Amino acid sequence: MHEQSPHDFAHLKPTRSEQLDMLDLGEKDKAMAALLQSDIIKPNIQFILEEFYNALLTYPIFNEIIARGFDLNHLKQVQSKYLETLGVNFSDANYFEERSRIGLTHVRVGVPLHAYLFAYRKLQQLLIQKIPREKLNVSTVESLIAFILKITALDIALAAESYHLGSIQDLQHNLDDLHDRHIQLEHEVGIDYLTGLSNRQRIMVLLDAGIKRSQIEAIPICVIMADLDFFKDVNDTYGHQVGDLVLKATAARIESAVREKDVIGRYGGEEFIIVLIDKSLNQAVDIAERIRTQIEFNPINTHNSTIRMTISLGVAQAHLNDNSDQLIARADAALYRAKNNGRNQIAVDKVDA
């Protein structure tokens, strides 16, 4: 069998416009690029450089590179220039060419491709950490986080092209890996401090994206709204610290009942939301039942008590042209029917039933 070389796939290399489209980078992101430079990089560049290299040097591969005779201060100067151009005129041909040259340089230096994943992930974390949340509104913060994830994904994609001479198959593999890491990072940025689940703000962003994907790919998406029964009684009887333990345990039991890629969030108080992409309504009802039984038949042990809880759930599937608010409202209405019908049960959106 003829073994194909990377050159055999050269005709598959996406154009600059296609690469930008794949990452959803466009005119709307240029304002975020300017904000990245003015509010994050320029005021914090020394901090970012120091923390970046401190993290890299905890790994043997980077120490080995330094040991080959590379001057750390020179590397910091080079990285400083890189940061000062990060996202600047990202749609221009010069930006693409410069990022590709960086990749070729690293090939000559001997930086393995897997090291890029760690380095870029650390860079993403530092940039997001230095977002001045106190002076920006929530929407701008969310847009800025999204842009940081996308522009670093573009940069590593261009570096990967240099490694594989345009092999789109290898490039797609690396982009998929980055995508998974970006999703994980988004969860870390938008988590509920008590349960470790996505917070309401983050869950809405993820649900919006899920609905768009379902409409494009013609796949189902369902939402489960779940609310602990008589949770106020727990707080009144045992106190809020025990109530917090119950919420944490509930979150863990919900996680155990769903797939790793399903999105779970704390919607508020004792109410949780589960987003199921590529699951039919019947499958979503089955998952809701798993959650219900996990809560009912697994008492929560505290220091002094064993607390039995139940949960009510409402399930709805997105319809054509639904938005997040409409889908949640229908699942929420189903939830309250489950409450009114006696609790510890599942109700399905009447339109879907």
Side-chain angles (χ1 to χ4, degrees), residues 90-127:
F90 61 81
S91 60
D92 290 356
N94 287 340
Y95 188 91
F96 277 61
E97 292 169 3
E98 180 59 32
R99 265 41 189 176
S100 295
R101 279 197 293 271
I102 291 172
L104 291 172
T105 300
H106 287 159
V107 171
R108 291 193 294 269
V109 171
V111 179
L113 189 59
H114 68 81
Y116 272 83
L117 298 177
F118 171 78
Y120 274 90
R121 176 162 168 73
K122 185 60 186 177
L123 180 59
Q124 289 170 344
Q125 291 174 328
L126 290 170
L127 293 172

Side-chain angles (χ1 to χ4, degrees), residues 144-155:
L144 197 48
I145 290 171
F147 176 73
I148 290 169
L149 297 175
K150 291 189 290 186
I151 197 63
T152 50
L154 175 63
D155 281 13

Side-chain angles (χ1 to χ4, degrees), residues 98-220:
E98 180 59 32
R99 265 41 189 176
S100 295
R101 279 197 293 271
I102 291 172
L104 291 172
T105 300
H106 287 159
V107 171
R108 291 193 294 269
V109 171
V111 179
L113 189 59
H114 68 81
Y116 272 83
L117 298 177
F118 171 78
Y120 274 90
R121 176 162 168 73
K122 185 60 186 177
L123 180 59
Q124 289 170 344
Q125 291 174 328
L126 290 170
L127 293 172
I128 290 172
Q129 177 185 341
K130 301 309 290 185
I131 292 176
R133 288 171 170 78
E134 69 283 355
K135 61 180 284 191
L136 301 175
N137 61 43
V138 170
S139 176
T140 301
V141 170
E142 291 287 347
S143 297
L144 197 48
I145 290 171
F147 176 73
I148 290 169
L149 297 175
K150 291 189 290 186
I151 197 63
T152 50
L154 175 63
D155 281 13
I156 194 172
L158 296 173
E161 286 179 350
S162 298
Y163 268 89
H164 295 290
L165 302 176
S167 172
I168 194 64
Q169 292 182 337
D170 287 337
L171 175 60
Q172 188 62 53
H173 172 77
N174 292 321
L175 285 174
D176 288 344
D177 192 2
L178 273 175
H179 177 73
D180 291 341
R181 290 172 182 269
H182 294 164
I183 295 297
Q184 180 183 351
L185 182 58
E186 286 181 340
H187 279 276
E188 292 170 359
V189 170
I191 61 172
D192 172 63
Y193 75 95
L194 179 63
T195 62
L197 302 177
S198 293
N199 59 23
R200 182 169 179 168
Q201 180 183 91
R202 170 51 46 189
I203 206 78
M204 294 303 293
V205 173
L206 296 174
L207 179 56
D208 285 340
I211 288 176
K212 288 178 183 176
R213 178 188 164 192
S214 74
Q215 293 168 344
I216 292 170
E217 299 181 17
I219 57 175

